[in-house]
Amino acid sequence: MAFRGKRPEHGGPPELFYDKNEARKYVRNSRMIDVQTQMTGRALELLCLPEGQPCYLLDIGCGSGLSGDYLSDEGHYWVGIDISPAMLDAALDRDTEGDLLLGDMGQGIPFKPGTFDGCISISAVQWLCNANKKSDIPAKRLYCFFSSLYSVLVRGARAVLQLYPENSEQLELITIQATKAGFTGGVVVDFPNSAKAKKFYLCLFSGPSTFLPKALTETTDEEEATESAFTSERTAGLSPPSPRLPPPPASWPLSPLGSPSPLLCPHVYSPGSFPQFAETLFLLSSP
């Protein structure tokens, strides 16, 4: 089922979009396989797992198992959850090494507390921002997802979720619900000045953290990630800075209230891939 000219999630629920034809692309299309593998490698890097130590990881929106294959090649064990039967069938046909589960992440992650050492997700979370039926309330589904994810992670573990936010409001909706669930962290934007190569990684910590990893850039002088101690303090009542100022660092924390911090967000910028989309730098801290 093809939905050309618009975002895939606008065409209906993911279990319909990711049908047998779409699943076949993730098995045969070399470019899609390469992109998926590269993003998985970057997500695993941002998890900052102990070197040389096999970990038990959760892959949300595992699809045909491409990301899981990368985890296996790196010596990790994993469980994948996906809402599309066709994608999971493709994963089974490929004899992936991880365990597979058919499920809707918006209804929660069905595992015992403290099960996983970390979590990755590639291009899945933005699907929760769309209501495909009257009973779907994006904020509630996001909170159910994040609160259950927080529970199933070992305390102090990280989750790195690569996503494609449609606009600033959607990104704020996602981060607010992650904060309500207890996460701290922020967003790393790789190649922020490239419309094609730009990638958003939501880096969530189930415990305190004092820094965000560095973002990848196209310049020879790599932009430094913002380093900040995340506390329970909220920032509010601040006016957005002028959008004419130069672009911010490529890595930044987010605020649960969607209001910029005077120390962490001196700039606003408009990414070329999101028309009429101006982003600020926010602090993401637990309530």
Side-chain angles (χ1 to χ4, degrees):
M1 183 179 298
F3 300 102
R4 296 183 178 180
K6 56 183 178 180
R7 294 171 64 93
E9 59 267 25
H10 290 175
E15 62 268 29
L16 296 183
F17 176 80
Y18 291 104
D19 56 11
K20 291 183 178 179
N21 291 331
E22 195 69 20
R24 194 176 298 116
K25 297 178 184 178
Y26 283 83
V27 176
R28 300 179 180 178
N29 188 309
S30 59
R31 181 181 178 279
M32 294 182 72
I33 293 174
D34 289 343
V35 171
Q36 192 83 358
T37 301
Q38 290 172 9
M39 291 190 295
T40 304
R42 178 59 171 153
L44 187 60
E45 178 184 4
L46 293 172
L47 273 184
C48 299
L49 297 172
E51 292 187 11
Q53 178 179 325
C55 294
Y56 192 45
L57 304 176
L58 176 63
D59 183 1
I60 297 172
C62 63
S64 62
L66 294 175
S67 49
D69 285 348
Y70 188 94
L71 298 179
S72 296
D73 291 343
E74 293 297 313
H76 301 295
Y77 304 97
W78 59 277
V79 174
I81 182 172
D82 202 282
I83 198 172
S84 167
M87 294 292 274
L88 292 178
D89 285 342
L92 290 173
D93 291 340
R94 297 178 59 254
D95 294 326
T96 55
E97 296 183 15
D99 294 320
L100 303 174
L101 174 67
L102 177 66
D104 178 3
M105 60 181 172
Q107 296 181 359
I109 309 299
F111 291 93
K112 294 180 179 180
T115 297
F116 297 100
D117 300 313
C119 169
I120 68 164
S121 178
I122 307 299
S123 311
V125 176
Q126 69 271 5
W127 284 91
L128 293 178
C129 296
N130 293 272
N132 295 302
K133 50 188 177 183
K134 291 183 178 180
S135 60
D136 285 350
I137 302 175
K140 289 186 177 181
R141 284 171 55 78
L142 282 163
Y143 178 75
C144 182
F145 164 64
F146 282 121
S147 59
S148 60
L149 176 59
Y150 188 90
S151 174
V152 302
L153 290 176
V154 172
R155 211 45 65 236
R158 299 186 179 196
V160 176
L161 316 177
Q162 184 275 326
L163 70 160
Y164 293 105
E166 183 175 2
N167 49 45
S168 58
E169 290 78 12
Q170 189 177 95
L171 186 59
E172 182 178 358
L173 172 64
I174 292 171
T175 56
I176 285 176
Q177 299 309 316
T179 299
K180 286 183 178 180
F183 282 109
T184 59
V187 174
V188 172
V189 185
D190 284 350
F191 309 110
N193 298 317
S194 171
K196 292 184 178 181
K198 182 189 303 175
K199 295 293 184 294
F200 289 76
Y201 295 89
L202 179 60
C203 300
L204 302 176
F205 314 132
S206 62
S209 180
T210 58
F211 72 95
L212 281 176
K214 292 181 180 179
L216 302 180
T217 68
E218 297 168 320
T219 59
T220 53
D221 296 328
E222 189 176 68
E223 298 181 31
E224 294 293 330
T226 300
E227 296 188 2
S228 171
F230 301 134
T231 70
S232 59
E233 296 180 0
R234 294 172 180 239
T235 58
L238 298 172
S239 301
S242 169
R244 297 181 180 178
L245 294 174
S251 301
W252 29 274
L254 298 176
S255 164
L257 296 181
S259 55
S261 162
L263 297 179
L264 298 178
C265 54
H267 308 304
V268 180
Y269 75 110
S270 298
S273 61
F274 295 127
Q276 300 178 347
F277 174 4
E279 288 204 78
T280 57
L281 309 189
F282 301 120
L283 172 65
L284 175 60
S285 57
S286 57

